[in-house]
Amino acid sequence: MQKSFSIEHFKILITFLQVMTALIGTLYYYKYKNTFLIYFQALLWYTVLNDYCAVLYLEYVDKSSNVVLYNIYQIVRFSIVFMMYRNAIESSRNRKIIAVFLCLYLGAVIGNGFYEDFRQDYNVIPFIIGAIFIVISVSLYFSEILESHKIIFINKLLLFWISVALLVYFVPSIPFYVVRKYYVNSPTIPYIYFLNYFLVFTINLILIAGFIWSGKQQKA
């Protein structure tokens, strides 16, 4: 009972931190208002709104599951992140690779719909595929930064901070979702869920640091 109580309080703290991240991102909107990063900021607010709507959905629409809202959310999130890196990366070859990643991810979502209920079953396999592709996309971005003059002021790039946050979240999330999909009865599941909450907490701290410490004029 004590562990459940602690996790619930931790989830409340995460919700508060997500709101703070979106607010701070809005406060520093002037830094990236002329870049594609405005869509990432919109995604932060959508994350907050989606979590709130998920609670209402359980209470007033379907008391058994709100999975459909999170399946929709994942499609929006992955699409925005892929487009963000496609927009930021200068190499035409890598831009095409990321465009293919987006198409393959969306194809996985459509294919998954043939054997799982989009309204009741969480899209685990598309998530794993999308997460792998995002890790590769971030790696392509970092490799390009390392070979350019931007490496000198890399800590001033907001997308650098966002990239670090995405890696911190998605790299551990890949094995987490594999376990969630194929080892659902494993005794480690409760601890893995707690790890996921901790990752969300961590990436929001990284994003807040990025909004504050990044340069005043972002170009990507």
mmCIF file with all atom_site columns, all heavy atoms in Angstrom, residues 40 85 138 142 158-172 199 202-208:
data_model
loop_
_atom_site.group_PDB
_atom_site.id
_atom_site.type_symbol
_atom_site.label_atom_id
_atom_site.label_alt_id
_atom_site.label_comp_id
_atom_site.label_asym_id
_atom_site.label_entity_id
_atom_site.label_seq_id
_atom_site.pdbx_PDB_ins_code
_atom_site.Cartn_x
_atom_site.Cartn_y
_atom_site.Cartn_z
_atom_site.occupancy
_atom_site.B_iso_or_equiv
_atom_site.pdbx_formal_charge
_atom_site.auth_seq_id
_atom_site.auth_comp_id
_atom_site.auth_asym_id
_atom_site.auth_atom_id
_atom_site.pdbx_PDB_model_num
ATOM 1   N N   . PHE A 1 40  ? 7.250  21.363 -31.544 1.00 0.00 ? 40  PHE A N   1
ATOM 2   C CA  . PHE A 1 40  ? 7.626  20.575 -30.374 1.00 0.00 ? 40  PHE A CA  1
ATOM 3   C C   . PHE A 1 40  ? 7.029  21.202 -29.114 1.00 0.00 ? 40  PHE A C   1
ATOM 4   O O   . PHE A 1 40  ? 6.574  20.489 -28.222 1.00 0.00 ? 40  PHE A O   1
ATOM 5   C CB  . PHE A 1 40  ? 9.148  20.492 -30.241 1.00 0.00 ? 40  PHE A CB  1
ATOM 6   C CG  . PHE A 1 40  ? 9.599  19.607 -29.111 1.00 0.00 ? 40  PHE A CG  1
ATOM 7   C CD1 . PHE A 1 40  ? 9.641  18.231 -29.267 1.00 0.00 ? 40  PHE A CD1 1
ATOM 8   C CD2 . PHE A 1 40  ? 9.958  20.153 -27.881 1.00 0.00 ? 40  PHE A CD2 1
ATOM 9   C CE1 . PHE A 1 40  ? 10.038 17.408 -28.214 1.00 0.00 ? 40  PHE A CE1 1
ATOM 10  C CE2 . PHE A 1 40  ? 10.361 19.340 -26.832 1.00 0.00 ? 40  PHE A CE2 1
ATOM 11  C CZ  . PHE A 1 40  ? 10.396 17.960 -27.002 1.00 0.00 ? 40  PHE A CZ  1
ATOM 12  N N   . TYR A 1 85  ? 13.418 16.543 -36.948 1.00 0.00 ? 85  TYR A N   1
ATOM 13  C CA  . TYR A 1 85  ? 14.790 16.203 -37.341 1.00 0.00 ? 85  TYR A CA  1
ATOM 14  C C   . TYR A 1 85  ? 14.979 16.285 -38.856 1.00 0.00 ? 85  TYR A C   1
ATOM 15  O O   . TYR A 1 85  ? 16.055 16.671 -39.328 1.00 0.00 ? 85  TYR A O   1
ATOM 16  C CB  . TYR A 1 85  ? 15.171 14.823 -36.813 1.00 0.00 ? 85  TYR A CB  1
ATOM 17  C CG  . TYR A 1 85  ? 15.496 14.871 -35.347 1.00 0.00 ? 85  TYR A CG  1
ATOM 18  C CD1 . TYR A 1 85  ? 14.592 14.399 -34.402 1.00 0.00 ? 85  TYR A CD1 1
ATOM 19  C CD2 . TYR A 1 85  ? 16.682 15.433 -34.895 1.00 0.00 ? 85  TYR A CD2 1
ATOM 20  C CE1 . TYR A 1 85  ? 14.869 14.479 -33.042 1.00 0.00 ? 85  TYR A CE1 1
ATOM 21  C CE2 . TYR A 1 85  ? 16.967 15.521 -33.537 1.00 0.00 ? 85  TYR A CE2 1
ATOM 22  C CZ  . TYR A 1 85  ? 16.058 15.044 -32.623 1.00 0.00 ? 85  TYR A CZ  1
ATOM 23  O OH  . TYR A 1 85  ? 16.344 15.140 -31.285 1.00 0.00 ? 85  TYR A OH  1
ATOM 24  N N   . VAL A 1 138 ? 18.237 10.838 -34.044 1.00 0.00 ? 138 VAL A N   1
ATOM 25  C CA  . VAL A 1 138 ? 19.013 11.675 -33.134 1.00 0.00 ? 138 VAL A CA  1
ATOM 26  C C   . VAL A 1 138 ? 20.508 11.464 -33.372 1.00 0.00 ? 138 VAL A C   1
ATOM 27  O O   . VAL A 1 138 ? 21.295 12.420 -33.379 1.00 0.00 ? 138 VAL A O   1
ATOM 28  C CB  . VAL A 1 138 ? 18.656 11.373 -31.660 1.00 0.00 ? 138 VAL A CB  1
ATOM 29  C CG1 . VAL A 1 138 ? 19.593 12.129 -30.721 1.00 0.00 ? 138 VAL A CG1 1
ATOM 30  C CG2 . VAL A 1 138 ? 17.208 11.765 -31.381 1.00 0.00 ? 138 VAL A CG2 1
ATOM 31  N N   . PHE A 1 142 ? 23.321 14.235 -34.298 1.00 0.00 ? 142 PHE A N   1
ATOM 32  C CA  . PHE A 1 142 ? 24.555 14.430 -33.529 1.00 0.00 ? 142 PHE A CA  1
ATOM 33  C C   . PHE A 1 142 ? 25.792 14.283 -34.415 1.00 0.00 ? 142 PHE A C   1
ATOM 34  O O   . PHE A 1 142 ? 26.756 15.041 -34.276 1.00 0.00 ? 142 PHE A O   1
ATOM 35  C CB  . PHE A 1 142 ? 24.628 13.438 -32.372 1.00 0.00 ? 142 PHE A CB  1
ATOM 36  C CG  . PHE A 1 142 ? 23.852 13.860 -31.160 1.00 0.00 ? 142 PHE A CG  1
ATOM 37  C CD1 . PHE A 1 142 ? 23.244 12.921 -30.339 1.00 0.00 ? 142 PHE A CD1 1
ATOM 38  C CD2 . PHE A 1 142 ? 23.724 15.200 -30.822 1.00 0.00 ? 142 PHE A CD2 1
ATOM 39  C CE1 . PHE A 1 142 ? 22.522 13.296 -29.222 1.00 0.00 ? 142 PHE A CE1 1
ATOM 40  C CE2 . PHE A 1 142 ? 23.006 15.590 -29.704 1.00 0.00 ? 142 PHE A CE2 1
ATOM 41  C CZ  . PHE A 1 142 ? 22.404 14.650 -28.893 1.00 0.00 ? 142 PHE A CZ  1
ATOM 42  N N   . LEU A 1 158 ? 18.923 24.561 -28.658 1.00 0.00 ? 158 LEU A N   1
ATOM 43  C CA  . LEU A 1 158 ? 17.776 23.966 -27.976 1.00 0.00 ? 158 LEU A CA  1
ATOM 44  C C   . LEU A 1 158 ? 17.534 22.541 -28.461 1.00 0.00 ? 158 LEU A C   1
ATOM 45  O O   . LEU A 1 158 ? 17.187 21.663 -27.659 1.00 0.00 ? 158 LEU A O   1
ATOM 46  C CB  . LEU A 1 158 ? 16.530 24.827 -28.197 1.00 0.00 ? 158 LEU A CB  1
ATOM 47  C CG  . LEU A 1 158 ? 15.224 24.316 -27.578 1.00 0.00 ? 158 LEU A CG  1
ATOM 48  C CD1 . LEU A 1 158 ? 15.389 24.071 -26.076 1.00 0.00 ? 158 LEU A CD1 1
ATOM 49  C CD2 . LEU A 1 158 ? 14.088 25.294 -27.840 1.00 0.00 ? 158 LEU A CD2 1
ATOM 50  N N   . LEU A 1 159 ? 17.747 22.296 -29.751 1.00 0.00 ? 159 LEU A N   1
ATOM 51  C CA  . LEU A 1 159 ? 17.521 20.955 -30.274 1.00 0.00 ? 159 LEU A CA  1
ATOM 52  C C   . LEU A 1 159 ? 18.509 19.949 -29.679 1.00 0.00 ? 159 LEU A C   1
ATOM 53  O O   . LEU A 1 159 ? 18.193 18.765 -29.564 1.00 0.00 ? 159 LEU A O   1
ATOM 54  C CB  . LEU A 1 159 ? 17.618 20.946 -31.800 1.00 0.00 ? 159 LEU A CB  1
ATOM 55  C CG  . LEU A 1 159 ? 17.253 19.624 -32.489 1.00 0.00 ? 159 LEU A CG  1
ATOM 56  C CD1 . LEU A 1 159 ? 15.874 19.138 -32.055 1.00 0.00 ? 159 LEU A CD1 1
ATOM 57  C CD2 . LEU A 1 159 ? 17.313 19.767 -34.008 1.00 0.00 ? 159 LEU A CD2 1
ATOM 58  N N   . PHE A 1 160 ? 19.685 20.414 -29.292 1.00 0.00 ? 160 PHE A N   1
ATOM 59  C CA  . PHE A 1 160 ? 20.637 19.528 -28.614 1.00 0.00 ? 160 PHE A CA  1
ATOM 60  C C   . PHE A 1 160 ? 20.036 19.025 -27.298 1.00 0.00 ? 160 PHE A C   1
ATOM 61  O O   . PHE A 1 160 ? 20.081 17.829 -26.997 1.00 0.00 ? 160 PHE A O   1
ATOM 62  C CB  . PHE A 1 160 ? 21.949 20.264 -28.343 1.00 0.00 ? 160 PHE A CB  1
ATOM 63  C CG  . PHE A 1 160 ? 22.817 19.600 -27.313 1.00 0.00 ? 160 PHE A CG  1
ATOM 64  C CD1 . PHE A 1 160 ? 23.527 18.459 -27.620 1.00 0.00 ? 160 PHE A CD1 1
ATOM 65  C CD2 . PHE A 1 160 ? 22.903 20.113 -26.016 1.00 0.00 ? 160 PHE A CD2 1
ATOM 66  C CE1 . PHE A 1 160 ? 24.312 17.826 -26.657 1.00 0.00 ? 160 PHE A CE1 1
ATOM 67  C CE2 . PHE A 1 160 ? 23.689 19.502 -25.054 1.00 0.00 ? 160 PHE A CE2 1
ATOM 68  C CZ  . PHE A 1 160 ? 24.399 18.353 -25.374 1.00 0.00 ? 160 PHE A CZ  1
ATOM 69  N N   . TRP A 1 161 ? 19.466 19.931 -26.513 1.00 0.00 ? 161 TRP A N   1
ATOM 70  C CA  . TRP A 1 161 ? 18.859 19.546 -25.240 1.00 0.00 ? 161 TRP A CA  1
ATOM 71  C C   . TRP A 1 161 ? 17.662 18.627 -25.458 1.00 0.00 ? 161 TRP A C   1
ATOM 72  O O   . TRP A 1 161 ? 17.480 17.648 -24.723 1.00 0.00 ? 161 TRP A O   1
ATOM 73  C CB  . TRP A 1 161 ? 18.433 20.794 -24.473 1.00 0.00 ? 161 TRP A CB  1
ATOM 74  C CG  . TRP A 1 161 ? 19.579 21.621 -23.995 1.00 0.00 ? 161 TRP A CG  1
ATOM 75  C CD1 . TRP A 1 161 ? 20.151 22.684 -24.639 1.00 0.00 ? 161 TRP A CD1 1
ATOM 76  C CD2 . TRP A 1 161 ? 20.315 21.455 -22.775 1.00 0.00 ? 161 TRP A CD2 1
ATOM 77  N NE1 . TRP A 1 161 ? 21.193 23.193 -23.889 1.00 0.00 ? 161 TRP A NE1 1
ATOM 78  C CE2 . TRP A 1 161 ? 21.312 22.457 -22.747 1.00 0.00 ? 161 TRP A CE2 1
ATOM 79  C CE3 . TRP A 1 161 ? 20.211 20.571 -21.717 1.00 0.00 ? 161 TRP A CE3 1
ATOM 80  C CZ2 . TRP A 1 161 ? 22.204 22.598 -21.686 1.00 0.00 ? 161 TRP A CZ2 1
ATOM 81  C CZ3 . TRP A 1 161 ? 21.089 20.698 -20.655 1.00 0.00 ? 161 TRP A CZ3 1
ATOM 82  C CH2 . TRP A 1 161 ? 22.073 21.702 -20.647 1.00 0.00 ? 161 TRP A CH2 1
ATOM 83  N N   . ILE A 1 162 ? 16.859 18.935 -26.481 1.00 0.00 ? 162 ILE A N   1
ATOM 84  C CA  . ILE A 1 162 ? 15.718 18.083 -26.798 1.00 0.00 ? 162 ILE A CA  1
ATOM 85  C C   . ILE A 1 162 ? 16.206 16.691 -27.193 1.00 0.00 ? 162 ILE A C   1
ATOM 86  O O   . ILE A 1 162 ? 15.631 15.679 -26.792 1.00 0.00 ? 162 ILE A O   1
ATOM 87  C CB  . ILE A 1 162 ? 14.888 18.703 -27.939 1.00 0.00 ? 162 ILE A CB  1
ATOM 88  C CG1 . ILE A 1 162 ? 14.223 20.008 -27.470 1.00 0.00 ? 162 ILE A CG1 1
ATOM 89  C CG2 . ILE A 1 162 ? 13.834 17.720 -28.447 1.00 0.00 ? 162 ILE A CG2 1
ATOM 90  C CD1 . ILE A 1 162 ? 13.502 20.764 -28.566 1.00 0.00 ? 162 ILE A CD1 1
ATOM 91  N N   . SER A 1 163 ? 17.289 16.640 -27.959 1.00 0.00 ? 163 SER A N   1
ATOM 92  C CA  . SER A 1 163 ? 17.846 15.364 -28.417 1.00 0.00 ? 163 SER A CA  1
ATOM 93  C C   . SER A 1 163 ? 18.345 14.522 -27.248 1.00 0.00 ? 163 SER A C   1
ATOM 94  O O   . SER A 1 163 ? 18.132 13.303 -27.210 1.00 0.00 ? 163 SER A O   1
ATOM 95  C CB  . SER A 1 163 ? 18.989 15.614 -29.407 1.00 0.00 ? 163 SER A CB  1
ATOM 96  O OG  . SER A 1 163 ? 18.527 16.312 -30.548 1.00 0.00 ? 163 SER A OG  1
ATOM 97  N N   . VAL A 1 164 ? 19.007 15.162 -26.302 1.00 0.00 ? 164 VAL A N   1
ATOM 98  C CA  . VAL A 1 164 ? 19.476 14.447 -25.117 1.00 0.00 ? 164 VAL A CA  1
ATOM 99  C C   . VAL A 1 164 ? 18.281 13.876 -24.355 1.00 0.00 ? 164 VAL A C   1
ATOM 100 O O   . VAL A 1 164 ? 18.289 12.715 -23.924 1.00 0.00 ? 164 VAL A O   1
ATOM 101 C CB  . VAL A 1 164 ? 20.298 15.373 -24.198 1.00 0.00 ? 164 VAL A CB  1
ATOM 102 C CG1 . VAL A 1 164 ? 20.601 14.694 -22.862 1.00 0.00 ? 164 VAL A CG1 1
ATOM 103 C CG2 . VAL A 1 164 ? 21.596 15.788 -24.883 1.00 0.00 ? 164 VAL A CG2 1
ATOM 104 N N   . ALA A 1 165 ? 17.238 14.692 -24.211 1.00 0.00 ? 165 ALA A N   1
ATOM 105 C CA  . ALA A 1 165 ? 16.029 14.232 -23.505 1.00 0.00 ? 165 ALA A CA  1
ATOM 106 C C   . ALA A 1 165 ? 15.401 13.038 -24.216 1.00 0.00 ? 165 ALA A C   1
ATOM 107 O O   . ALA A 1 165 ? 14.981 12.065 -23.570 1.00 0.00 ? 165 ALA A O   1
ATOM 108 C CB  . ALA A 1 165 ? 15.031 15.377 -23.388 1.00 0.00 ? 165 ALA A CB  1
ATOM 109 N N   . LEU A 1 166 ? 15.338 13.094 -25.534 1.00 0.00 ? 166 LEU A N   1
ATOM 110 C CA  . LEU A 1 166 ? 14.744 11.998 -26.294 1.00 0.00 ? 166 LEU A CA  1
ATOM 111 C C   . LEU A 1 166 ? 15.553 10.715 -26.155 1.00 0.00 ? 166 LEU A C   1
ATOM 112 O O   . LEU A 1 166 ? 14.991 9.620  -26.019 1.00 0.00 ? 166 LEU A O   1
ATOM 113 C CB  . LEU A 1 166 ? 14.619 12.390 -27.773 1.00 0.00 ? 166 LEU A CB  1
ATOM 114 C CG  . LEU A 1 166 ? 13.597 13.488 -28.088 1.00 0.00 ? 166 LEU A CG  1
ATOM 115 C CD1 . LEU A 1 166 ? 13.661 13.872 -29.561 1.00 0.00 ? 166 LEU A CD1 1
ATOM 116 C CD2 . LEU A 1 166 ? 12.180 13.049 -27.720 1.00 0.00 ? 166 LEU A CD2 1
ATOM 117 N N   . LEU A 1 167 ? 16.876 10.837 -26.186 1.00 0.00 ? 167 LEU A N   1
ATOM 118 C CA  . LEU A 1 167 ? 17.720 9.654  -26.004 1.00 0.00 ? 167 LEU A CA  1
ATOM 119 C C   . LEU A 1 167 ? 17.545 9.065  -24.610 1.00 0.00 ? 167 LEU A C   1
ATOM 120 O O   . LEU A 1 167 ? 17.448 7.841  -24.443 1.00 0.00 ? 167 LEU A O   1
ATOM 121 C CB  . LEU A 1 167 ? 19.194 10.007 -26.243 1.00 0.00 ? 167 LEU A CB  1
ATOM 122 C CG  . LEU A 1 167 ? 19.635 10.192 -27.686 1.00 0.00 ? 167 LEU A CG  1
ATOM 123 C CD1 . LEU A 1 167 ? 21.122 10.511 -27.732 1.00 0.00 ? 167 LEU A CD1 1
ATOM 124 C CD2 . LEU A 1 167 ? 19.343 8.944  -28.527 1.00 0.00 ? 167 LEU A CD2 1
ATOM 125 N N   . VAL A 1 168 ? 17.512 9.937  -23.603 1.00 0.00 ? 168 VAL A N   1
ATOM 126 C CA  . VAL A 1 168 ? 17.342 9.480  -22.220 1.00 0.00 ? 168 VAL A CA  1
ATOM 127 C C   . VAL A 1 168 ? 16.028 8.718  -22.072 1.00 0.00 ? 168 VAL A C   1
ATOM 128 O O   . VAL A 1 168 ? 15.951 7.732  -21.320 1.00 0.00 ? 168 VAL A O   1
ATOM 129 C CB  . VAL A 1 168 ? 17.386 10.678 -21.249 1.00 0.00 ? 168 VAL A CB  1
ATOM 130 C CG1 . VAL A 1 168 ? 16.898 10.278 -19.854 1.00 0.00 ? 168 VAL A CG1 1
ATOM 131 C CG2 . VAL A 1 168 ? 18.799 11.240 -21.164 1.00 0.00 ? 168 VAL A CG2 1
ATOM 132 N N   . TYR A 1 169 ? 15.007 9.146  -22.796 1.00 0.00 ? 169 TYR A N   1
ATOM 133 C CA  . TYR A 1 169 ? 13.717 8.479  -22.681 1.00 0.00 ? 169 TYR A CA  1
ATOM 134 C C   . TYR A 1 169 ? 13.618 7.224  -23.556 1.00 0.00 ? 169 TYR A C   1
ATOM 135 O O   . TYR A 1 169 ? 13.237 6.149  -23.070 1.00 0.00 ? 169 TYR A O   1
ATOM 136 C CB  . TYR A 1 169 ? 12.584 9.430  -23.055 1.00 0.00 ? 169 TYR A CB  1
ATOM 137 C CG  . TYR A 1 169 ? 11.225 8.766  -22.978 1.00 0.00 ? 169 TYR A CG  1
ATOM 138 C CD1 . TYR A 1 169 ? 10.638 8.501  -21.740 1.00 0.00 ? 169 TYR A CD1 1
ATOM 139 C CD2 . TYR A 1 169 ? 10.558 8.370  -24.128 1.00 0.00 ? 169 TYR A CD2 1
ATOM 140 C CE1 . TYR A 1 169 ? 9.404  7.858  -21.661 1.00 0.00 ? 169 TYR A CE1 1
ATOM 141 C CE2 . TYR A 1 169 ? 9.323  7.732  -24.055 1.00 0.00 ? 169 TYR A CE2 1
ATOM 142 C CZ  . TYR A 1 169 ? 8.756  7.485  -22.825 1.00 0.00 ? 169 TYR A CZ  1
ATOM 143 O OH  . TYR A 1 169 ? 7.543  6.838  -22.747 1.00 0.00 ? 169 TYR A OH  1
ATOM 144 N N   . PHE A 1 170 ? 13.957 7.351  -24.832 1.00 0.00 ? 170 PHE A N   1
ATOM 145 C CA  . PHE A 1 170 ? 13.666 6.263  -25.762 1.00 0.00 ? 170 PHE A CA  1
ATOM 146 C C   . PHE A 1 170 ? 14.630 5.083  -25.684 1.00 0.00 ? 170 PHE A C   1
ATOM 147 O O   . PHE A 1 170 ? 14.214 3.938  -25.910 1.00 0.00 ? 170 PHE A O   1
ATOM 148 C CB  . PHE A 1 170 ? 13.611 6.793  -27.200 1.00 0.00 ? 170 PHE A CB  1
ATOM 149 C CG  . PHE A 1 170 ? 12.321 7.492  -27.520 1.00 0.00 ? 170 PHE A CG  1
ATOM 150 C CD1 . PHE A 1 170 ? 12.287 8.856  -27.724 1.00 0.00 ? 170 PHE A CD1 1
ATOM 151 C CD2 . PHE A 1 170 ? 11.136 6.780  -27.600 1.00 0.00 ? 170 PHE A CD2 1
ATOM 152 C CE1 . PHE A 1 170 ? 11.090 9.501  -28.005 1.00 0.00 ? 170 PHE A CE1 1
ATOM 153 C CE2 . PHE A 1 170 ? 9.930  7.411  -27.880 1.00 0.00 ? 170 PHE A CE2 1
ATOM 154 C CZ  . PHE A 1 170 ? 9.911  8.768  -28.085 1.00 0.00 ? 170 PHE A CZ  1
ATOM 155 N N   . VAL A 1 171 ? 15.897 5.312  -25.383 1.00 0.00 ? 171 VAL A N   1
ATOM 156 C CA  . VAL A 1 171 ? 16.842 4.183  -25.313 1.00 0.00 ? 171 VAL A CA  1
ATOM 157 C C   . VAL A 1 171 ? 16.415 3.165  -24.248 1.00 0.00 ? 171 VAL A C   1
ATOM 158 O O   . VAL A 1 171 ? 16.312 1.965  -24.530 1.00 0.00 ? 171 VAL A O   1
ATOM 159 C CB  . VAL A 1 171 ? 18.283 4.676  -25.076 1.00 0.00 ? 171 VAL A CB  1
ATOM 160 C CG1 . VAL A 1 171 ? 19.206 3.502  -24.778 1.00 0.00 ? 171 VAL A CG1 1
ATOM 161 C CG2 . VAL A 1 171 ? 18.791 5.443  -26.301 1.00 0.00 ? 171 VAL A CG2 1
ATOM 162 N N   . PRO A 1 172 ? 16.110 3.590  -22.999 1.00 0.00 ? 172 PRO A N   1
ATOM 163 C CA  . PRO A 1 172 ? 15.632 2.603  -22.003 1.00 0.00 ? 172 PRO A CA  1
ATOM 164 C C   . PRO A 1 172 ? 14.203 2.126  -22.286 1.00 0.00 ? 172 PRO A C   1
ATOM 165 O O   . PRO A 1 172 ? 13.818 1.047  -21.837 1.00 0.00 ? 172 PRO A O   1
ATOM 166 C CB  . PRO A 1 172 ? 15.687 3.377  -20.680 1.00 0.00 ? 172 PRO A CB  1
ATOM 167 C CG  . PRO A 1 172 ? 16.488 4.600  -20.954 1.00 0.00 ? 172 PRO A CG  1
ATOM 168 C CD  . PRO A 1 172 ? 16.287 4.911  -22.390 1.00 0.00 ? 172 PRO A CD  1
ATOM 169 N N   . LEU A 1 199 ? 11.959 8.265  -15.901 1.00 0.00 ? 199 LEU A N   1
ATOM 170 C CA  . LEU A 1 199 ? 12.484 8.772  -17.172 1.00 0.00 ? 199 LEU A CA  1
ATOM 171 C C   . LEU A 1 199 ? 11.718 10.019 -17.604 1.00 0.00 ? 199 LEU A C   1
ATOM 172 O O   . LEU A 1 199 ? 12.315 10.999 -18.069 1.00 0.00 ? 199 LEU A O   1
ATOM 173 C CB  . LEU A 1 199 ? 12.385 7.691  -18.246 1.00 0.00 ? 199 LEU A CB  1
ATOM 174 C CG  . LEU A 1 199 ? 13.314 6.486  -18.095 1.00 0.00 ? 199 LEU A CG  1
ATOM 175 C CD1 . LEU A 1 199 ? 13.020 5.453  -19.174 1.00 0.00 ? 199 LEU A CD1 1
ATOM 176 C CD2 . LEU A 1 199 ? 14.768 6.920  -18.161 1.00 0.00 ? 199 LEU A CD2 1
ATOM 177 N N   . THR A 1 202 ? 12.877 12.866 -15.558 1.00 0.00 ? 202 THR A N   1
ATOM 178 C CA  . THR A 1 202 ? 14.217 13.304 -15.949 1.00 0.00 ? 202 THR A CA  1
ATOM 179 C C   . THR A 1 202 ? 14.212 14.122 -17.239 1.00 0.00 ? 202 THR A C   1
ATOM 180 O O   . THR A 1 202 ? 14.858 15.170 -17.322 1.00 0.00 ? 202 THR A O   1
ATOM 181 C CB  . THR A 1 202 ? 15.150 12.089 -16.121 1.00 0.00 ? 202 THR A CB  1
ATOM 182 O OG1 . THR A 1 202 ? 15.182 11.331 -14.908 1.00 0.00 ? 202 THR A OG1 1
ATOM 183 C CG2 . THR A 1 202 ? 16.558 12.533 -16.474 1.00 0.00 ? 202 THR A CG2 1
ATOM 184 N N   . ILE A 1 203 ? 13.471 13.655 -18.236 1.00 0.00 ? 203 ILE A N   1
ATOM 185 C CA  . ILE A 1 203 ? 13.503 14.373 -19.514 1.00 0.00 ? 203 ILE A CA  1
ATOM 186 C C   . ILE A 1 203 ? 12.874 15.757 -19.391 1.00 0.00 ? 203 ILE A C   1
ATOM 187 O O   . ILE A 1 203 ? 13.281 16.693 -20.094 1.00 0.00 ? 203 ILE A O   1
ATOM 188 C CB  . ILE A 1 203 ? 12.818 13.570 -20.645 1.00 0.00 ? 203 ILE A CB  1
ATOM 189 C CG1 . ILE A 1 203 ? 11.321 13.417 -20.399 1.00 0.00 ? 203 ILE A CG1 1
ATOM 190 C CG2 . ILE A 1 203 ? 13.482 12.233 -20.830 1.00 0.00 ? 203 ILE A CG2 1
ATOM 191 C CD1 . ILE A 1 203 ? 10.579 12.831 -21.589 1.00 0.00 ? 203 ILE A CD1 1
ATOM 192 N N   . ASN A 1 204 ? 11.890 15.904 -18.514 1.00 0.00 ? 204 ASN A N   1
ATOM 193 C CA  . ASN A 1 204 ? 11.300 17.225 -18.324 1.00 0.00 ? 204 ASN A CA  1
ATOM 194 C C   . ASN A 1 204 ? 12.291 18.185 -17.677 1.00 0.00 ? 204 ASN A C   1
ATOM 195 O O   . ASN A 1 204 ? 12.335 19.372 -18.021 1.00 0.00 ? 204 ASN A O   1
ATOM 196 C CB  . ASN A 1 204 ? 10.020 17.120 -17.501 1.00 0.00 ? 204 ASN A CB  1
ATOM 197 C CG  . ASN A 1 204 ? 8.815  16.753 -18.338 1.00 0.00 ? 204 ASN A CG  1
ATOM 198 O OD1 . ASN A 1 204 ? 8.210  17.593 -18.987 1.00 0.00 ? 204 ASN A OD1 1
ATOM 199 N ND2 . ASN A 1 204 ? 8.483  15.467 -18.349 1.00 0.00 ? 204 ASN A ND2 1
ATOM 200 N N   . LEU A 1 205 ? 13.116 17.679 -16.756 1.00 0.00 ? 205 LEU A N   1
ATOM 201 C CA  . LEU A 1 205 ? 14.170 18.520 -16.177 1.00 0.00 ? 205 LEU A CA  1
ATOM 202 C C   . LEU A 1 205 ? 15.176 18.937 -17.248 1.00 0.00 ? 205 LEU A C   1
ATOM 203 O O   . LEU A 1 205 ? 15.631 20.091 -17.276 1.00 0.00 ? 205 LEU A O   1
ATOM 204 C CB  . LEU A 1 205 ? 14.883 17.765 -15.059 1.00 0.00 ? 205 LEU A CB  1
ATOM 205 C CG  . LEU A 1 205 ? 14.082 17.490 -13.775 1.00 0.00 ? 205 LEU A CG  1
ATOM 206 C CD1 . LEU A 1 205 ? 14.945 16.740 -12.774 1.00 0.00 ? 205 LEU A CD1 1
ATOM 207 C CD2 . LEU A 1 205 ? 13.575 18.798 -13.165 1.00 0.00 ? 205 LEU A CD2 1
ATOM 208 N N   . ILE A 1 206 ? 15.508 18.015 -18.145 1.00 0.00 ? 206 ILE A N   1
ATOM 209 C CA  . ILE A 1 206 ? 16.450 18.325 -19.227 1.00 0.00 ? 206 ILE A CA  1
ATOM 210 C C   . ILE A 1 206 ? 15.856 19.380 -20.167 1.00 0.00 ? 206 ILE A C   1
ATOM 211 O O   . ILE A 1 206 ? 16.544 20.318 -20.575 1.00 0.00 ? 206 ILE A O   1
ATOM 212 C CB  . ILE A 1 206 ? 16.808 17.050 -20.011 1.00 0.00 ? 206 ILE A CB  1
ATOM 213 C CG1 . ILE A 1 206 ? 17.565 16.072 -19.113 1.00 0.00 ? 206 ILE A CG1 1
ATOM 214 C CG2 . ILE A 1 206 ? 17.649 17.387 -21.241 1.00 0.00 ? 206 ILE A CG2 1
ATOM 215 C CD1 . ILE A 1 206 ? 17.809 14.710 -19.746 1.00 0.00 ? 206 ILE A CD1 1
ATOM 216 N N   . LEU A 1 207 ? 14.591 19.235 -20.484 1.00 0.00 ? 207 LEU A N   1
ATOM 217 C CA  . LEU A 1 207 ? 13.939 20.199 -21.375 1.00 0.00 ? 207 LEU A CA  1
ATOM 218 C C   . LEU A 1 207 ? 13.886 21.588 -20.740 1.00 0.00 ? 207 LEU A C   1
ATOM 219 O O   . LEU A 1 207 ? 14.124 22.599 -21.417 1.00 0.00 ? 207 LEU A O   1
ATOM 220 C CB  . LEU A 1 207 ? 12.532 19.714 -21.726 1.00 0.00 ? 207 LEU A CB  1
ATOM 221 C CG  . LEU A 1 207 ? 12.453 18.483 -22.631 1.00 0.00 ? 207 LEU A CG  1
ATOM 222 C CD1 . LEU A 1 207 ? 11.000 18.036 -22.784 1.00 0.00 ? 207 LEU A CD1 1
ATOM 223 C CD2 . LEU A 1 207 ? 13.068 18.766 -23.992 1.00 0.00 ? 207 LEU A CD2 1
ATOM 224 N N   . ILE A 1 208 ? 13.580 21.642 -19.454 1.00 0.00 ? 208 ILE A N   1
ATOM 225 C CA  . ILE A 1 208 ? 13.555 22.933 -18.759 1.00 0.00 ? 208 ILE A CA  1
ATOM 226 C C   . ILE A 1 208 ? 14.931 23.581 -18.810 1.00 0.00 ? 208 ILE A C   1
ATOM 227 O O   . ILE A 1 208 ? 15.063 24.785 -19.090 1.00 0.00 ? 208 ILE A O   1
ATOM 228 C CB  . ILE A 1 208 ? 13.093 22.748 -17.298 1.00 0.00 ? 208 ILE A CB  1
ATOM 229 C CG1 . ILE A 1 208 ? 11.599 22.403 -17.254 1.00 0.00 ? 208 ILE A CG1 1
ATOM 230 C CG2 . ILE A 1 208 ? 13.359 24.020 -16.478 1.00 0.00 ? 208 ILE A CG2 1
ATOM 231 C CD1 . ILE A 1 208 ? 11.086 22.052 -15.875 1.00 0.00 ? 208 ILE A CD1 1
#
